[in-house]
Amino acid sequence: MSKKNLAILLRARMRSNNPSTKFSLSHFPKEIQSNSQENHSNEGIGNSSKFGTTGRVYDVVRETMHSAISASKTGVLDITLSDFQEGYFSLSLEDRGKLLLVLAKEYDVNREQVRELVKQYLGLENPASDDDDNKEALSSVFYRIERNLRQSLRPTYEVLFERLNTHPGGLRFLSILRADLLSILTKENMPSLRTLDSFLKEKLGMWLSPASLELHQITWDDPASLLEKIVAYEAVHPISNLLDLKRRLGIGRRCFGYFHPSIPGEPLIFIEVALMETVAQTIQEVLWDNPPIPEDQATSALFYSISSTQPGLAGINLGKFLIKRVITLVKKDMPHVSTFATLSPIPGFMQWLLSKLSSQTRFAEGERDSQSNSPSSTFSEKVLLPEEEQALMSLSDDSSTGSNGMEVLLKLLSVKNCDWATSPRILPVLEPILMRLCARYLLQEKKRGKALDSVANFHLQNGAMVERINWMADRSEKGIHQSGGIMVNYVYRLENIEDYAQSYFGSGKIHASPGIHSRL
């Protein structure tokens, strides 16, 4: 694909009436898709010419999968693995689910064999004899059964995964297979499928170790087919036009991606960096900073977007290694850059807040209703401070009526068009309330001892600290709906990264600046 076609692609996107439309490879004109189709030619549904009619496809693919696991001759195995990949892509998602369930159940651990070996092991006499020859003989029996036990605890489908990993295109295929598995698990959360997913995730994490990944700076001079993927996979701040793309790859900006030799021409994850004089407080400063400052005046490197391109690699923290390597590289090239920070979204904040307000409002209504004898499952909680309650009750128009401050706030924030975000009368009232509750959400709301917000958890486990939250930092529709327009700066201090990461993993401690704590 040429850059001319890429420009056509971006202009087509600009004409879209829906700014939130997902920009995916399926929207590309045919002439622009040509390069992608070379890599994804088998991913369509219904490509079953080689496998017969649709009714027989599933059975043939299932048999091919069995052959791929049991085949022993290298030449036959290569052909069988290719046939299995092609056949799998010809299946509907429903049939893929059936096939993965067969894989999870019929090619699992042989538990009868495990039980028998455990019985043998428990029946052995402990080799604590004074006779060295006898002790060595007994030990050898232990070693043999332990080896057999380790082997028997390996599921049979490990053979398929190992073989696919070394087969051309196999690693990417396994990523797609896991993406299908994750999709199926949202509907059928079966223990056998969860175990299959956990095992495959562990394997992919091992095969995609930092030592096997290549860091590449993506520039305007890269092939248009690669730039096409940057446009398509940008998940945080969509790229609006060709000028926007060129700006993100130009002076004062950097874009780095992790690549794997088995998936050429496509980053597994990429990060966008802005070189600035100070840490930005709004995304508008970053995206529309024109012209950027001279690079030799920059003192801050701001990570403003991290996008993963492979849904099947969910839960594998490639970003941790990417951030650390980018910090090292930028520091080496530009010693005058001393601050490494993010300008991050808070995707779970509004969902958490609306849920909290809704449950507490229902609880308050139950307390007021003397005839209600049904116990509430939610504990009463003072979400608002007295002065916040008073300020909210002072808003008296129809859009903000309510018997208490929580009802008023819930009604204001639940309006779909988010009129509150542009109201000069309402914004000053909501700012201190939402900023305090956002600080509470980031620092105090946890799940299994870790930060409830997914982006916060990602940066904290990588060794960052919560530095500052910024009011109306993202005024886009997405930003208002997800986080009330608030964004957060996480800071990576080189001397503290490892200590902060360890304390977060060990005890869930969240390091934050005094300014953040003061909001609580």
Side-chain angles (χ1 to χ4, degrees):
M1 185 188 75
S2 67
K3 287 191 174 71
K4 179 180 179 182
N5 281 336
L6 182 60
I8 295 172
L9 176 66
L10 287 164
R11 284 199 298 271
R13 185 184 183 205
M14 289 181 68
R15 289 196 294 268
S16 171
N17 291 325
N18 183 2
S20 62
T21 299
K22 177 66 177 175
F23 194 40
S24 67
L25 295 172
S26 62
H27 298 148
F28 293 174
K30 289 183 179 179
E31 65 271 20
I32 295 178
Q33 289 190 52
S34 58
N35 287 329
S36 292
Q37 288 174 345
E38 292 176 12
N39 295 327
H40 308 287
S41 58
N42 294 324
E43 290 184 41
I45 292 176
N47 180 24
S48 57
S49 59
K50 185 173 180 176
F51 298 89
T53 60
T54 305
R56 288 194 63 244
V57 171
Y58 172 80
D59 292 333
V60 174
V61 176
R62 178 173 173 173
E63 182 60 34
T64 307
M65 181 178 73
H66 177 76
S67 299
I69 294 173
S70 58
S72 57
K73 294 183 178 180
T74 304
V76 174
L77 178 60
D78 287 341
I79 295 172
T80 305
L81 288 170
S82 296
D83 286 347
F84 172 60
Q85 288 181 224
E86 183 179 346
Y88 182 85
F89 286 133
S90 73
L91 297 176
S92 66
L93 184 59
E94 181 181 358
D95 282 342
R96 292 184 188 188
K98 287 169 55 181
L99 188 70
L100 291 172
L101 188 57
V102 168
L103 185 65
K105 288 187 172 182
E106 297 185 11
Y107 297 88
D108 197 0
V109 170
N110 185 337
R111 291 185 174 82
E112 286 302 317
Q113 186 181 43
V114 172
R115 287 170 63 88
E116 182 58 35
L117 287 167
V118 169
K119 285 180 182 179
Q120 293 178 28
Y121 191 80
L122 293 175
L124 290 176
E125 185 178 336
N126 192 18
S129 171
D130 293 334
D131 184 345
D132 289 342
D133 291 338
N134 184 47
K135 185 175 181 180
E136 187 65 27
L138 286 172
S139 295
S140 68
V141 177
F142 270 94
Y143 295 149
R144 176 174 55 81
I145 295 181
E146 287 166 354
R147 183 181 65 248
N148 292 339
L149 187 57
R150 282 194 298 270
Q151 184 66 31
S152 65
L153 285 170
R154 297 170 61 187
T156 307
Y157 47 67
E158 181 184 33
V159 175
L160 178 64
F161 297 157
E162 295 277 3
R163 289 176 170 181
L164 282 167
N165 179 49
T166 58
H167 185 71
L171 186 61
R172 189 176 193 287
F173 171 78
L174 287 171
S175 171
I176 295 168
L177 187 145
R178 182 165 182 257
D180 291 340
L181 186 56
L182 290 171
S183 177
I184 294 161
L185 278 169
T186 61
K187 303 169 186 174
E188 298 185 55
N189 193 8
M190 302 175 66
S192 56
L193 289 175
R194 288 201 306 271
T195 302
L196 177 66
D197 171 64
S198 178
F199 188 86
L200 181 53
K201 175 187 173 183
E202 183 180 341
K203 285 291 184 182
L204 288 170
M206 181 174 63
W207 293 327
L208 294 171
S209 66
S212 67
L213 299 174
E214 300 170 356
L215 183 65
H216 171 68
Q217 182 180 344
I218 301 164
T219 70
W220 183 250
D221 294 328
D222 276 309
S225 58
L226 172 56
L227 302 186
E228 162 196 338
K229 293 179 174 65
I230 298 301
V231 172
Y233 290 127
E234 166 56 59
V236 185
H237 303 293
I239 298 171
S240 56
N241 53 46
L242 200 61
L243 180 62
D244 187 11
L245 175 63
K246 196 167 186 177
R247 183 188 294 115
R248 297 193 194 197
L249 302 177
I251 297 173
R253 299 292 180 268
R254 297 290 188 273
C255 181
F256 298 94
Y258 256 156
F259 292 77
H260 193 278
S262 297
I263 310 177
E266 183 164 347
L268 303 182
I269 186 172
F270 61 92
I271 184 170
E272 296 172 70
V273 186
L275 302 173
M276 311 188 78
E277 283 187 300
T278 58
V279 177
Q281 298 187 49
T282 72
I283 195 60
Q284 290 78 19
E285 297 175 54
V286 179
L287 298 182
W288 305 113
D289 178 22
N290 192 26
I293 64 166
E295 292 190 356
D296 59 3
Q297 295 181 19
T299 61
S300 299
L302 189 81
F303 309 129
Y304 65 94
S305 178
I306 303 177
S307 300
S308 176
T309 68
Q310 309 296 318
L313 301 184
I316 300 173
N317 192 357
L318 300 176
K320 171 183 179 180
F321 307 111
L322 178 60
I323 287 176
K324 290 183 178 179
R325 287 189 64 181
V326 168
I327 289 176
T328 302
L329 187 60
V330 172
K331 190 67 178 174
K332 180 180 178 181
D333 290 346
M334 289 177 283
H336 51 279
V337 174
S338 56
T339 302
F340 296 89
T342 79
L343 183 60
S344 300
I346 314 169
F349 172 54
M350 288 298 282
Q351 181 181 1
W352 166 81
L353 179 56
L354 291 174
S355 176
K356 177 71 70 176
L357 291 171
S358 178
S359 64
Q360 289 302 310
T361 299
R362 288 197 303 270
F363 186 84
E365 289 173 352
E367 286 187 327
R368 290 197 305 267
D369 187 358
S370 59
Q371 297 179 351
S372 174
N373 296 319
S374 58
S376 173
S377 61
T378 309
F379 292 102
S380 178
E381 179 184 351
K382 288 291 185 182
V383 178
L384 300 172
L385 301 176
E387 59 271 25
E388 295 171 346
E389 180 95 20
Q390 184 178 0
L392 285 166
M393 293 303 293
S394 68
L395 299 172
S396 58
D397 62 7
D398 293 337
S399 66
S400 56
T401 56
S403 59
N404 57 54
M406 286 190 299
E407 287 186 15
V408 173
L409 185 58
L410 178 61
K411 187 175 291 187
L412 278 171
L413 300 180
S414 298
V415 177
K416 290 185 178 179
N417 58 13
C418 296
D419 284 344
W420 65 268
T422 56
S423 169
R425 184 176 67 89
I426 297 175
L427 274 178
V429 175
L430 294 191
E431 179 179 355
I433 299 172
L434 294 184
M435 291 286 274
R436 179 184 66 82
L437 291 172
C438 185
R440 167 188 163 174
Y441 172 70
L442 290 173
L443 269 59
Q444 298 179 344
E445 297 299 321
K446 296 187 177 183
K447 180 180 180 181
R448 300 192 185 100
K450 301 297 184 290
L452 181 61
D453 187 78
S454 58
V455 175
N457 183 59
F458 170 79
H459 287 294
L460 292 169
Q461 70 180 355
N462 292 343
M465 66 173 292
V466 188
E467 178 69 20
R468 180 177 64 197
I469 52 177
N470 305 294
W471 178 247
M472 284 296 136
D474 183 359
R475 295 177 178 271
S476 69
E477 182 179 344
K478 179 181 177 182
I480 298 296
H481 278 291
Q482 285 191 342
S483 60
I486 303 172
M487 298 188 79
V488 55
N489 296 124
Y490 299 100
V491 171
Y492 286 86
R493 291 194 165 87
L494 301 182
E495 67 276 13
N496 296 325
I497 285 179
E498 295 303 327
D499 289 341
Y500 285 1
Q502 288 180 13
S503 62
Y504 180 71
F505 270 116
S507 62
K509 182 177 181 180
I510 296 175
H511 294 269
S513 68
I516 292 289
H517 282 292
S518 68
R519 293 190 177 277
L520 299 175

